[in-house]
Amino acid sequence: QVHLKDFGGGSVPVGGSLNLSCEASLSDYTKWSVGWFRQAPGREREGVAIINSGGQTTYADSVKGRFTISKDNYKNTLYLQMSSLKPEDTALYYCAADRGTTSLSFGRLALGTRAQGTQVTVTS
């Protein structure tokens, strides 16, 4: 059974930084594509970043250059380093995992297992 737990959200001022983490209880973590989504009230879910089993990454255009996704295969943990935060980054962020793929597709990852989410609020 796959279980994801994400945390690290909070309230930060514009321009600030925040680091999210996602711990995974699953086997063969190296064989999974993992990533982050976000959803703000009244807005559609948005794929933020993915890192696949080969270590390749992809980002939403809205976060390129500001967010960095990484993972620690020994700790089964996914990270999202967020900097230069903007009010429009305010959302519920959640991690997701898709087994056995090198896909960098947000559409595919959205069909995988997801965590409950952690709230990020950027205040102006």
Side-chain angles (χ1 to χ4, degrees):
Q1 186 175 2
V2 178
H3 180 67
L4 303 175
K5 179 182 178 182
D6 49 22
F7 54 93
S11 181
V12 294
V14 170
S17 299
L18 207 58
N19 296 323
L20 306 183
S21 299
C22 173
E23 296 177 345
S25 297
L26 50 82
S27 59
D28 297 326
Y29 186 70
T30 58
K31 296 182 180 178
W32 292 66
S33 283
V34 286
W36 295 92
F37 291 88
R38 67 186 182 185
Q39 187 157 20
R43 299 183 65 179
E44 291 191 359
R45 177 191 62 214
E46 178 185 20
V48 175
I50 299 174
I51 183 166
N52 69 8
S53 57
Q56 296 170 303
T57 60
T58 192
Y59 295 89
D61 288 342
S62 58
V63 306
K64 282 181 181 177
R66 300 188 298 120
F67 291 11
T68 301
I69 189 171
S70 62
K71 62 176 180 171
D72 185 329
N73 290 328
Y74 294 101
K75 296 182 178 179
N76 281 18
T77 302
L78 175 70
Y79 304 100
L80 186 68
Q81 296 175 285
M82 305 185 294
S83 61
S84 302
L85 285 162
K86 305 175 182 180
E88 51 263 43
D89 293 319
T90 295
L92 180 71
Y93 286 70
Y94 63 90
C95 59
D98 183 22
R99 180 184 176 89
T101 176
T102 57
S103 172
L104 291 171
S105 165
F106 287 115
R108 170 158 179 163
L109 185 62
L111 300 176
T113 302
R114 60 160 287 180
Q116 283 194 322
T118 184
Q119 179 67 34
V120 173
T121 302
V122 184
T123 59
S124 57

